[in-house]
Amino acid sequence: MERLYLKGTEETPEIVFDKENQEFRVTGKSYMEDATAHYSKVIEWLDEYSNNPNSFTTFKFELEYVNTASSKIVHDILDVLDTMYLNGHSVTVEWHYYQEDEDMLELGKEYEEIYEVPFKY
């Protein structure tokens, strides 16, 4: 499976999905207007990966800011990861945040309440 890399910008996060090197992360800020269009390749890649995932998947969210449109996409990503986990695959979400950024910690905790996939902070 080919590596997916999207360079981050001021409004979009860096995306690295690399099955071979077991690297899955979303890093930076995400506050574009049309998040669905930007993330369509991301969801498509992740859906394909979920059909034949690695023996374990650690997915890192290293987000500084997420607007409402982007939070829907985070849900979409977590839906795929949660389904993988519920289907018996070893999946963990690492939710990174700056220690002083209580909003991002709270957002991670809100997601954790919705899904079964384990979170680490």
Side-chain angles (χ1 to χ4, degrees), residues 23 93 100:
E23 182 179 13
V93 172
E100 64 277 359

Side-chain angles (χ1 to χ4, degrees), residues 1 10 14 21 41 46-47 53 55 76 80 90 106 109:
M1 185 167 196
E10 186 64 32
E14 177 182 63
N21 293 306
K41 286 183 183 178
L46 197 55
D47 280 338
S55 57
D76 292 346
V80 175
S90 178
E106 187 176 310
K109 295 287 186 182

